[in-house]
Amino acid sequence: MRPSLGGETLRFSLAYFFLFAILGITSPYLQILLRSLGYGPAAVGLFLALFEVVGILGPLVLARLADAHGSYRLALICAAGATILAFPVLALVPRVWATVASLILLSLGLKTLIPVMDATGITWSLSPGPGKRRVSYGALRALGSAGFIAMALSVQLLPNFDTRPPWVMAVAAIIPAIILIVICLFLPAPPRKEALASSRPSGERRRFDPVFALGLVVIGLSRLAMSPFASFLSLYAAEGLGLHHAGIIWALGGAAEIPLMIVSGLIIARLGTMASIAVGAGAIVLRLAILALVPTPLGLYGSQLLH
């Protein structure tokens, strides 16, 4: 018997929650974990650069394969499994070769999870069904941010979590990854391509959209601008400002984005896509300016409100 639509919505909501709960560990603490393995700041930067490069190239292939074959659930399970396999090697084998190999595997897992989950959720949302209501992506993404915040704050409740051994951080990331795999087993099967094709306007053709391409370029440049900040935020807070609560700092940024996630559709409808992207890019400029001109805890907390 086909599960109820409400049940499917709950499963996707939980999947987003626990997917971003994993990121609630890796985003604040991966750089700290690498530092605790004995690597210097320069080495940490090189490792995280490798992590990001693999995260760009790998998912382009893996996510496309999942899209071509419609095997979204399998791709999600494999990506979460790669994350689980990577962490013990990363945390327990402090050798350069092991760090490189585990970061590559971790990047392939984590960076594949988000686009495949988005493709799964959007495909499910657009598939036809009797009495089916479209679920806002912004609402699902807001639940993801809630998972990020919940995990980042939960581990911060542990005394001195920022200075715990690497294996403690690894276990904290593996737990939500295991839960995510269980949830993915019960996600609804993707609709047949024929069903999706029938939901598109007849005669619709794919065509190059220069505005869309420009939007991707702006988004890419914005991500590039934020990359050094994201890679060293926790270390900057700890070693530069003496703030040993990375989870709280990152949770503040996650909390700031939830209201905008919920009303993102209304904002885009009112301003237009490109104007909305421009506003976001302007916020990035302001955020980085605050960090550069106000190198204090207050400046750091204020910049997180522009996340």
Side-chain angles (χ1 to χ4, degrees), residues 206-230:
R206 292 183 179 178
R207 60 185 179 83
F208 175 74
D209 186 342
V211 176
F212 177 74
L214 177 62
L216 290 180
V217 171
V218 174
I219 292 171
L221 291 175
S222 299
R223 290 293 302 271
L224 181 63
M226 289 300 299
S227 182
F229 167 78

Side-chain angles (χ1 to χ4, degrees), residues 149-164:
I149 295 168
M151 178 56 75
L153 292 180
S154 294
V155 298
Q156 200 67 71
L157 294 176
L158 298 175
N160 303 316
F161 183 82
D162 295 43
T163 57
R164 295 273 182 139

Side-chain angles (χ1 to χ4, degrees), residues 127-279:
S127 63
K132 186 170 187 177
R133 295 179 299 173
R134 179 177 297 187
V135 179
S136 165
Y137 170 77
L140 287 175
R141 182 59 181 78
L143 284 169
S145 294
F148 182 101
I149 295 168
M151 178 56 75
L153 292 180
S154 294
V155 298
Q156 200 67 71
L157 294 176
L158 298 175
N160 303 316
F161 183 82
D162 295 43
T163 57
R164 295 273 182 139
W167 69 266
V168 177
M169 301 179 189
V171 170
I174 288 173
I175 291 173
I178 293 174
I179 298 173
L180 177 62
I181 288 179
V182 174
I183 296 170
C184 288
L185 291 173
F186 295 95
L187 288 178
R192 297 175 61 88
K193 291 184 178 180
E194 294 81 358
L196 284 178
S198 64
S199 65
R200 299 190 184 103
S202 59
E204 182 182 12
R205 286 179 154 186
R206 292 183 179 178
R207 60 185 179 83
F208 175 74
D209 186 342
V211 176
F212 177 74
L214 177 62
L216 290 180
V217 171
V218 174
I219 292 171
L221 291 175
S222 299
R223 290 293 302 271
L224 181 63
M226 289 300 299
S227 182
F229 167 78
S231 297
F232 288 99
L233 172 59
S234 298
L235 292 180
Y236 167 66
E239 300 182 10
L241 300 178
L243 304 175
H244 296 281
H245 46 261
I248 295 176
I249 294 170
W250 283 79
L252 179 62
E257 73 182 13
I258 289 180
L260 288 177
M261 285 290 179
I262 295 174
V263 300
S264 59
L266 296 175
I267 294 174
I268 294 173
R270 181 65 180 268
L271 300 180
T273 302
M274 288 305 298
S276 299
I277 292 175
V279 170

Side-chain angles (χ1 to χ4, degrees), residues 12 15-16 18-23 26 55 58-60 62-63 66 72-84 87 105-121 137 173-174 176-181 184 187:
F12 274 110
Y16 267 94
F18 284 101
L19 165 57
F20 280 86
I22 303 172
L23 299 179
T26 58
L60 286 177
L62 299 177
Y72 297 132
R73 284 186 300 186
L74 178 60
L76 288 170
I77 292 170
C78 290
T83 301
I84 292 171
F87 266 109
L105 185 60
L106 180 62
S107 181
L108 289 174
L110 282 179
K111 302 295 186 177
T112 300
L113 276 171
I114 296 177
V116 174
M117 180 63 76
D118 284 343
T120 307
Y137 170 77
I174 288 173
I178 293 174
I179 298 173
L180 177 62
I181 288 179
C184 288
L187 288 178

Side-chain angles (χ1 to χ4, degrees), residues 20-115:
F20 280 86
I22 303 172
L23 299 179
I25 297 297
T26 58
S27 294
Y29 294 109
L30 181 57
Q31 54 200 271
I32 293 177
L33 189 155
L34 290 171
R35 195 79 165 95
S36 68
L37 291 173
Y39 296 114
V44 171
L46 290 174
F47 284 136
L48 293 177
L50 171 68
F51 180 79
E52 293 298 333
V53 169
V54 173
I56 293 172
L57 301 179
L60 286 177
V61 176
L62 299 177
R64 184 171 181 81
L65 287 174
D67 188 51
H69 297 283
S71 53
Y72 297 132
R73 284 186 300 186
L74 178 60
L76 288 170
I77 292 170
C78 290
T83 301
I84 292 171
L85 293 175
F87 266 109
V89 178
L90 178 63
L92 300 177
V93 187
R95 300 286 186 272
V96 172
W97 65 267
T99 302
V100 169
S102 58
L103 283 176
I104 290 174
L105 185 60
L106 180 62
S107 181
L108 289 174
L110 282 179
K111 302 295 186 177
T112 300
L113 276 171
I114 296 177

